[in-house]
Amino acid sequence: DAGVIQSPRHEVTEMGQEVTLRCKPISGHNSLFWYRQTMMRGLELLIYFNNNVPIDDSGMPEDRFSAKMPNASFSTLKIQPSEPRDSAVYFCASTPPLAGLHEQFFGPGTRLTVL
Amino acid sequence: RKEVEQDPGPFNVPEGATVAFNCTYSNSASQSFFWYRQDCRKEPKLLMSVYSSGNEDGRFTAQLNRASQYISLLIRDSKLSDSATYLCVVPLDTGRRALTFGSGTRLQVQP
């Protein structure tokens, strides 16, 4: 079975450019999470969706970040304009629709470098 | 106080050793807890859940101390393959599905 799929796996861009990260959750999962991981701050929740609806975006750093989930099988995280401090590994995770189940299935991550 | 705190380590132990990690949490209302494992340059994966009565899975034992608000992970008979970062995880809020991850404790098992 396919797990969570993220693309691209690596992205190198220059400051000021727009960056779009993509995620396909596991089929049948109804919650999707975007995280950012850095050495300094660890794993931080940016935003999460339930049934394609954003539930909590309080972790989104600033207006340069936006996330969408147009359907149950696709989500994007966009950074515009990107800055060097956005360099991190961005993970997408999904969970199935079972009450009380908190296991999150993570994708392999996108390693973003902003020069 | 951070919501979830862990000793970053690294813990360097020889093969066969027993090692324990603790994690403290701030939300006394938290009901469920988890340990995730993250290998170098890989994604986190669920290792085990932590129940009120404790939880044992082979060489791994997880325990909860509600009075002191900490959870622990004990690894017996350490293997080289146990080398990884262990993340303590607490639900962000009761009834919600988001999780708060600790910064992780790095374990290096040496031959």
Side-chain angles (χ1 to χ4, degrees), chain A residues 30-31 33 35 37 43 45 48 50 56 91 95-98 101-104 106-108 111, chain B residues 2 32 34 36 38 41-46 87 91-93 96-103:
Chain A
N30 71 332
S31 295
F33 306 80
Y35 292 90
Q37 188 173 38
L43 197 61
L45 176 66
Y48 82 96
N50 196 41
D56 184 353
F91 287 105
T95 59
L98 294 175
L101 183 66
H102 287 289
E103 180 174 4
Q104 296 190 3
F106 283 76
R111 187 170 296 274
Chain B
K2 287 186 179 178
S32 49
F34 309 88
Y36 275 66
Q38 185 173 22
R41 302 181 76 85
K42 297 287 189 180
E43 70 273 21
K45 293 183 179 178
L46 179 67
L87 305 169
L92 189 63
D93 197 357
R96 299 169 71 189
R97 310 202 80 193
L99 302 175
T100 298
F101 285 76
S103 55

Side-chain angles (χ1 to χ4, degrees), chain A residues 35-38 43 86-91 108-112:
Chain A
Y35 292 90
R36 176 173 69 177
Q37 188 173 38
T38 61
L43 197 61
D86 301 331
S87 297
V89 180
Y90 290 81
F91 287 105
T110 295
R111 187 170 296 274
L112 173 65

Side-chain angles (χ1 to χ4, degrees), chain B:
Chain B
R1 181 182 178 183
K2 287 186 179 178
E3 292 177 6
V4 181
E5 292 201 63
Q6 295 183 251
D7 181 343
F11 284 59
N12 295 303
V13 303
E15 271 187 289
T18 295
V19 61
F21 314 131
N22 282 344
C23 162
T24 58
Y25 60 93
S26 59
N27 184 1
S28 59
S30 296
Q31 296 294 314
S32 49
F33 310 86
F34 309 88
W35 284 100
Y36 275 66
R37 169 190 169 133
Q38 185 173 22
D39 292 305
C40 187
R41 302 181 76 85
K42 297 287 189 180
E43 70 273 21
K45 293 183 179 178
L46 179 67
L47 176 66
M48 59 195 308
S49 303
V50 186
Y51 305 124
S52 297
S53 56
N55 188 18
E56 186 172 321
D57 183 3
R59 298 182 294 108
F60 297 81
T61 300
Q63 292 195 316
L64 167 65
N65 184 317
R66 284 195 185 278
S68 300
Q69 292 184 215
Y70 77 82
I71 64 174
S72 63
L73 178 67
L74 181 78
I75 305 175
R76 291 180 296 276
D77 188 23
S78 301
K79 312 289 185 191
L80 294 176
S81 57
D82 294 334
S83 298
T85 296
Y86 292 83
L87 305 169
C88 173
V89 183
V90 178
L92 189 63
D93 197 357
T94 304
R96 299 169 71 189
R97 310 202 80 193
L99 302 175
T100 298
F101 285 76
S103 55
T105 297
R106 194 156 68 89
L107 171 66
Q108 185 66 48
V109 181
Q110 297 165 335

